[in-house]
Amino acid sequence: MSESPALPLTGAPDHPEGAAPHPRILAIPAFQDNYIWMLVDQAGRRAAVVDPGDAAPVIDALQAHHLDLAAVLVTHHHADHVGGLAALRARYPAMTVHGPHNPAIAGIDRRWRAGDSLALDGFGVHFDVFEVPGHTLDHIAWYAPRLTGDDTRPVLFCGDTLFAGGCGRLFEGTPVQMHASLSRLAALPGDTLVYCAHEYTASNLRFARKVEPNSAALARREAEVAALRAAHRPTVPSSIAVERATNPFLRVNHPDVQHAAQAYSDRPLEDAASILGAVRHWKDSAR
Ligand code: ZN
Ligand code: FE
């Protein structure tokens, strides 16, 4: 950040190119570092929220913006993503909860599989459902190829699968599964906004630098992220293009990442999934 120009008087540093937040998607911070994303409908009267781990901040945000809760999208079964469902149901009984085919999650009205497409009435959007096992086995991602309105950029709600600069821990799935899931997401259009569920970016990038210490793209991004955090702003959304350029878990086919992973493992690694597994293991032990 050394030679960057003075910040504007509003104090808001720019997001990485192509990743300015979507005007109809608002961040609701929860717990220590979760984001519950709130998509506002075209009329500005109703909202859909993603992964409400806690109900109270969601209710506060809905009231502050005079919005009714129409729908909830769930990505996976962890408590910090579904813990608010019951209290939201009590408060907004007409809401529809959409989630994965996991009977262990209580309170889901409609369960979705890969290849399904959910149209949200009045929101000017439909979501394609991807099954992205790895972090958990039930994990799904919600991808909107286009939003109606002034800002039509594609949007991805990916929970704890793809993070800005990283990926979720492999609690249930294998490196092979996570590699397939991340490859699916990495193939989306570069301008897709990546709305992940945690503010982990700064620590993710610190690790990424160990994997690719000579990456200029990574150095630039670290500076941008540091400026956003200094201004107490979310570093999310990211974009698929930014992730492809800087996220080591999307770069397992790059020679620099392969060499680093093999040096860490101290043995040759045969395929991309093994590289990913090694980098994931490295990050788990680096914390
Ligand atoms: Zn999780
Ligand atoms: Fe989580």
Side-chain angles (χ1 to χ4, degrees):
M1 224 44 223
S2 48
E3 76 282 53
S4 75
L7 294 175
L9 289 176
T10 51
D14 286 335
H15 268 261
E17 198 177 338
H22 193 283
R24 281 207 281 131
I25 301 175
L26 307 177
I28 305 174
F31 308 118
Q32 285 293 94
D33 51 33
N34 282 70
Y35 290 125
I36 300 167
W37 297 108
M38 182 165 79
L39 171 65
V40 180
D41 76 355
Q42 292 176 280
R45 295 202 185 89
R46 298 178 307 145
V49 298
V50 184
D51 284 352
D54 192 5
V58 174
I59 293 168
D60 286 350
L62 291 165
Q63 288 182 333
H65 295 273
H66 308 287
L67 296 165
D68 188 22
L69 182 57
V72 173
L73 308 184
V74 168
T75 63
H76 68 295
H77 69 85
H78 283 161
D80 63 312
H81 299 253
V82 300
L85 286 178
L88 288 175
R89 173 76 70 196
R91 176 91 183 211
Y92 303 96
M95 73 180 190
T96 304
V97 179
H98 305 274
H101 271 272
N102 179 357
I105 309 175
I108 292 192
D109 301 306
R110 297 191 63 189
R111 298 182 186 272
W112 298 80
R113 285 208 188 284
D116 291 342
S117 182
L118 158 64
L120 277 187
D121 247 12
F123 286 79
V125 67
H126 79 266
F127 288 97
D128 297 332
V129 178
F130 303 150
E131 291 176 10
V132 285
H135 176 66
T136 63
L137 293 177
D138 68 348
H139 209 303
I140 59 174
W142 301 92
Y143 172 64
R146 182 176 194 285
L147 275 78
T148 303
D150 293 339
D151 186 343
T152 61
R153 288 176 297 170
V155 163
L156 175 70
F157 295 113
C158 50
D160 291 354
T161 296
L162 171 62
F163 288 129
C167 74
R169 281 177 184 250
L170 299 181
F171 284 121
E172 297 175 10
T174 64
V176 169
Q177 286 175 315
M178 187 55 118
H179 177 247
S181 297
L182 292 178
S183 299
R184 178 76 181 88
L185 303 183
L188 294 172
D191 63 344
T192 301
L193 296 174
V194 176
Y195 282 93
C196 57
H198 290 272
E199 180 62 63
Y200 288 162
T201 317
S203 73
N204 284 341
L205 295 180
R206 270 197 301 280
F207 172 76
R209 187 196 273 287
K210 296 186 189 197
V211 182
E212 292 190 274
N214 301 318
S215 163
L218 198 45
R220 270 199 308 278
R221 190 174 185 203
E222 275 193 288
E224 289 162 348
V225 162
L228 286 166
R229 295 312 290 155
H232 305 288
R233 294 177 65 203
T235 64
V236 184
S238 175
S239 73
I240 288 292
V242 166
E243 294 310 313
R244 285 197 294 245
T246 55
N247 186 327
F249 297 96
L250 297 192
R251 296 171 57 74
V252 292
N253 292 314
H254 194 287
D256 289 355
V257 175
Q258 294 177 345
H259 290 142
Q262 298 191 98
Y264 166 77
S265 303
D266 203 18
R267 64 188 171 91
L269 298 166
E270 301 297 317
D271 54 77
S274 305
I275 304 282
L276 186 146
V279 175
R280 186 63 258 182
H281 186 274
W282 183 3
K283 184 165 196 300
D284 291 344
S285 22
R287 289 207 165 197

